[in-house]
Amino acid sequence: MLVNFPRAQKVVQISCGWRHTIAVTDRANVYSWGRGANGQLGHGDNLDRNVPKIIDAFSVDGCSEQHIKSSKYPSSGKPLASLSERYAVVPNET
């Protein structure tokens, strides 16, 4: 299905989960849509979305005063996985 992004942005990277999708645009904005029941869309809620919505914390055009807390657990020293290597785990699903 054709998906339109605001301001004619072009998708340069995309990752599809079980029932959700994350896309990065050429303007360095990150969008998500699909099933949000477990918060996997990154908007701070559990709503499903049928159209792409910008994830403010990861986007150039997002909120300028956004603050993301770091984990209180020690780092393993391993580099973080890229966006395309991450996925959401749905509880009670096989």
Side-chain angles (χ1 to χ4, degrees):
M1 169 183 256
L2 179 64
V3 178
N4 293 314
F5 284 81
R7 300 184 206 131
Q9 297 178 78
K10 294 179 183 177
V11 172
V12 295
Q13 187 176 7
I14 194 161
S15 182
C16 300
W18 180 53
R19 289 187 179 172
H20 65 282
T21 304
I22 307 287
V24 180
T25 69
D26 58 346
R27 289 180 48 103
N29 291 315
V30 182
Y31 289 82
S32 67
W33 64 100
R35 184 173 186 228
N38 298 299
Q40 65 266 43
L41 297 182
H43 302 293
D45 56 34
N46 294 330
L47 300 175
D48 294 346
R49 290 189 166 75
N50 294 325
V51 296
K53 180 178 178 179
I54 194 168
I55 302 175
D56 292 328
F58 298 138
S59 301
V60 170
D61 292 339
C63 296
S64 61
E65 296 297 321
Q66 188 78 19
H67 176 74
I68 302 172
K69 291 182 180 179
S70 62
S71 171
K72 59 184 169 188
Y73 298 101
S75 170
S76 65
K78 289 174 51 179
L80 294 175
S82 72
L83 184 62
S84 64
E85 295 171 333
R86 296 180 189 173
Y87 62 94
V89 176
V90 180
N92 302 321
E93 295 287 334
T94 56

